[in-house]
Amino acid sequence: MSTQTILLDIADDVAVITLNRPDKLNAFNEDMHKELRAAIKQVKTDKARALVLTGAGRAFCAGADLGARDLASGEKLDLGALLEKYYNPLVLGLRRLPLPVIAAVNGVAAGAGANIALMCDLTFAARSARFIQAFVKIGLVPDAGGTFMLPRLIGLQKAMGLAMTGDDIDAETAESWGLIWKCVEDEALMDTVMDFARHLATQPTRAIGLIKRAMLAAAGNDLESQLRLERNLQRVAGYGTDYREGVAAFMDKRPPKFTGT
Ligand code: LHQ
């Protein structure tokens, strides 16, 4: 699929969605939200086994398009309605995808762009990339799940500091704080992420989807509920062909051939 604001490519069981408004640093507008939603649906339909999210040009995503017709008017707008219509379903759509979602943050990630990158299951960033909770600079509150993810990833003090100041954080610092999985040299970013995604796509991806569900549910569960969830998910995994294949391969001393089922 190739549309105006999103590029979608699926090969070797790996889907790559590229945010594609480079002259606006891939800022979200309505078209991009709609095309992104359709692309995510397509990824599910095509049964991709890993998804990579990246940006075209020098940025990952500069957040909401501040020049968009509705936002630029300066009129009193219900921004909550915009979140309800576009950003919240996007966040939930990525979280509920039963496959690993990997961000390749190729450049600056600001506002909702930063938080979408942090909502991915694993976030890689180019050394020159920056993460900016830009909201406060325009009198707004972090959205797209930022207030949920930041304290969980880096603790309350650092989360509060980033959100209240809107200061940049570079990729190396982001890695050292645990905000992202890995900082990679700029020129190696896409190869590193694609190799990683292709590798994951050969792994027991149904189990990986269940791992994702368990990890994400943990934040809202007490121990007993989480143990019950682990029991339920392990039951599902244990009925899968990948479990049988994994054990058989181990016993036969040969590499496993997982199918994601
Ligand atoms: C942009 C943008 C942009 C349009 C760069 N929009 N054009 C908000 C409202 C409503 C509901 C839902 O939720 C949200 C969530 C949010 O995301 S709020 C936060 C919105 N984002 C920002 O406040 C970030 C604004 N951008 C920046 O601070 C800078 O552009 C960054 C730090 C990202 C990059 O700085 P530079 O590398 O110096 O690039 P630049 O500022 O020169 O931008 C390049 C071009 O991109 C420029 O256009 P031009 O025609 O002059 O070349 C910018 O106007 C355009 N651009 N961000 N969000």
Side-chain angles (χ1 to χ4, degrees), residues 13 19 37 67 154 212:
D13 293 328
L19 307 176
R37 192 173 294 184
I154 57 176
K212 171 172 173 171

Short mmCIF file of all heavy atoms in Angstrom, two decimals, residues 13 19 37 67 154 212:
data_model
loop_
_atom_site.label_atom_id
_atom_site.label_comp_id
_atom_site.label_asym_id
_atom_site.label_seq_id
_atom_site.Cartn_x
_atom_site.Cartn_y
_atom_site.Cartn_z
N ASP A 13 7.39 -11.41 6.24
CA ASP A 13 6.55 -11.38 7.45
C ASP A 13 6.74 -10.12 8.31
O ASP A 13 6.24 -10.05 9.43
CB ASP A 13 6.79 -12.61 8.35
CG ASP A 13 6.32 -13.90 7.70
OD1 ASP A 13 5.32 -13.83 6.95
OD2 ASP A 13 6.94 -14.95 7.94
N LEU A 19 6.04 6.95 8.41
CA LEU A 19 5.29 8.21 8.46
C LEU A 19 5.91 9.10 7.38
O LEU A 19 7.13 9.28 7.34
CB LEU A 19 5.41 8.86 9.84
CG LEU A 19 5.02 7.94 11.02
CD1 LEU A 19 5.28 8.65 12.35
CD2 LEU A 19 3.57 7.50 10.92
N ARG A 37 -4.39 4.23 10.51
CA ARG A 37 -5.36 3.25 11.03
C ARG A 37 -5.58 2.15 9.99
O ARG A 37 -5.60 0.96 10.31
CB ARG A 37 -6.68 3.97 11.33
CG ARG A 37 -7.63 3.12 12.11
CD ARG A 37 -8.86 3.88 12.53
NE ARG A 37 -8.57 4.96 13.48
CZ ARG A 37 -9.51 5.72 14.04
NH1 ARG A 37 -10.78 5.52 13.75
NH2 ARG A 37 -9.19 6.66 14.90
N GLY A 67 -0.03 23.31 12.25
CA GLY A 67 -0.54 24.18 11.18
C GLY A 67 -1.83 23.64 10.58
O GLY A 67 -2.39 24.25 9.67
N ILE A 154 10.90 5.56 33.29
CA ILE A 154 12.09 6.25 33.84
C ILE A 154 11.88 6.76 35.25
O ILE A 154 12.77 7.42 35.80
CB ILE A 154 12.52 7.43 32.91
CG1 ILE A 154 11.38 8.43 32.70
CG2 ILE A 154 13.03 6.89 31.58
CD1 ILE A 154 11.78 9.66 31.87
N LYS A 212 3.71 -9.99 25.22
CA LYS A 212 3.34 -8.56 25.18
C LYS A 212 2.10 -8.32 26.03
O LYS A 212 2.07 -7.40 26.85
CB LYS A 212 3.11 -8.18 23.72
CG LYS A 212 2.52 -6.80 23.49
CD LYS A 212 2.54 -6.48 22.00
CE LYS A 212 1.82 -5.18 21.71
NZ LYS A 212 1.99 -4.74 20.33
#
